[in-house]
């Protein structure tokens, strides 16, 4: 084996180890952030805000879109051990997370403007897909614990004009999910320049 080949193999091994390490670290942070949720004004009390997509977005930027997808997967697999939704909520969270981080990661390598466009597109996709996932996956499970009319009444207490769950998801959940994504976008763009060298292993030694 030539010296050049050995050097290449050593470099590739180092990159793979760093990729796995960063992905695992970001997945752990994302899992922890799932528990740091909080209520927000103008939303029913059972809907919480969290920033667990933030590490996935950062990973998608730093290590590529696959890293972001894996982070979304691992945090939800870990959450299965304490789930109360039979895995439906985790499946929905994974789908929405992928819809968010994948466009951002695919666009990031071009330039900052493309990364921003990709992130905003991902936030919009996540908001749109939240209607479908909640209507067909999550809420039908929730109805076993909280009747549909009770959930609808919680929305109507804020906006009496909504008449059914689909209207609620469009008027409340979709904008809420987009704003949730935007929080992650803003934080990422404010911090990424500082943490990117650490994640990629290119900081000055």
């Amino acid at each position: 084996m030539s010296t050049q080949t050995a050097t290449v193999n050593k470099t590739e091994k180092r990159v793979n180890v760093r990729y796995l390490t960063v992905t695992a670290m970001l997945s752990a942070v994302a899992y922890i952030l799932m528990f740091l949720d909080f209520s927000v004004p103008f939303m029913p009390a059972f809907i919480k805000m969290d920033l667990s997509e933030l590490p996935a977005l950062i990973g998608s930027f730093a290590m590529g879109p696959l890293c972001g997808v894996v982070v979304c997967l691992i945090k939800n697999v870990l959450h299965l051990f304490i789930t109360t939704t039979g895995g439906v909520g985790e499946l929905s969270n994974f789908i929405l997370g992928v819809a968010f981080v994948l466009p951002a990661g695919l666009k990031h390598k071009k330039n900052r403007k493309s990364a921003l466009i990709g992130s905003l597109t991902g936030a919009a996709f996540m908001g749109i897909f939240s209607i479908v996932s909640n209507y067909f996956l999550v809420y039908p499970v929730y109805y076993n614990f909280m009747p549909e009319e009770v959930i609808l009444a919680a929305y109507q207490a804020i906006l009496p004009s909504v008449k059914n769950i689909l209207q609620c998801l469009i008027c409340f959940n979709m904008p809420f999910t987009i704003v949730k994504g935007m929080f992650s976008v803003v934080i990422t763009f404010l911090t990424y320049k500082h943490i990117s060298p650490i994640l990629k292993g290119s900081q000055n030694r």
Side-chain angles (χ1 to χ4, degrees), residues 36-51 154-155 158 171-181 183:
L36 302 180
D37 55 5
F38 52 93
S39 301
V40 297
F42 309 113
M43 291 296 291
F46 56 83
I47 296 179
K48 307 290 186 179
M49 171 75 75
D50 70 74
L51 297 176
Y155 284 106
I158 303 169
C171 295
F172 287 88
N173 292 57
M174 183 176 69
F176 169 82
T177 305
I178 292 174
V179 170
K180 176 182 175 181
F183 275 123

Side-chain angles (χ1 to χ4, degrees), residues 3-4 6 11 28 31-32 34 45 55 65 73 83 101 103 105 111 121 134 141 144 153 179 185 191 199 205:
T3 303
Q4 183 177 2
T11 301
Y31 177 65
I32 292 171
M34 293 182 79
L73 176 62
T83 185
V101 304
N111 52 57
T121 301
N134 279 310
V141 174
N144 295 317
V179 170
V185 172
T191 62
L199 297 176
R205 293 179 173 83

